[in-house]
Amino acid sequence: MLYAIIAHDQTDSLPKRLEARPAHLERLQDLQQQGRLVLAGPFPAIDSSDPGAAGFSGSLIIAEFDSLEAASAWAEADPYVAAGVYAEVDVRPFKRVFPQ
């Protein structure tokens, strides 16, 4: 089943984000190589694809996991969690309707 991982950044998280980014991307690449990643990316803190020093306000990952527990465990093991980038992480079942 698909799960949406919706993360909300701490205030002024950009330096921590940049430091932990390589390890975060490595985990996402693993999901992609397994064919389980639907999409992933950050929420810019301002209305710009390149927010510069404004940074990001959070992230969205939609991927396939065996269960809600497995998705939650994967999300909690994210390097951004360990680095203190995320203030909160919400994991929810996701039903894809479009595109088919």
Side-chain angles (χ1 to χ4, degrees):
M1 179 164 189
L2 294 178
Y3 293 87
I5 300 169
I6 306 155
H8 304 273
D9 279 22
Q10 301 274 2
T11 304
D12 299 322
S13 63
L14 187 57
K16 292 177 182 177
R17 234 180 204 280
L18 294 174
E19 186 175 329
R21 190 169 190 262
H24 173 76
L25 293 179
E26 185 177 322
R27 293 180 82 232
L28 290 171
Q29 288 171 344
D30 287 344
L31 280 181
Q32 184 175 9
Q33 288 172 350
Q34 295 169 28
R36 296 170 43 204
L37 183 64
V38 175
L39 66 87
F43 298 116
I46 60 173
D47 190 13
S48 173
S49 62
D50 182 6
F56 301 91
S57 63
S59 301
L60 172 64
I61 298 166
I62 299 178
E64 185 178 340
F65 293 93
D66 291 334
S67 66
L68 178 58
E69 293 78 17
S72 295
W74 187 91
E76 287 302 316
D78 194 291
Y80 281 175
V81 171
V85 173
Y86 294 152
E88 179 184 352
V89 178
D90 185 23
V91 182
R92 301 178 186 191
F94 181 79
K95 180 179 177 182
R96 181 179 183 159
V97 176
F98 289 103
Q100 294 180 353

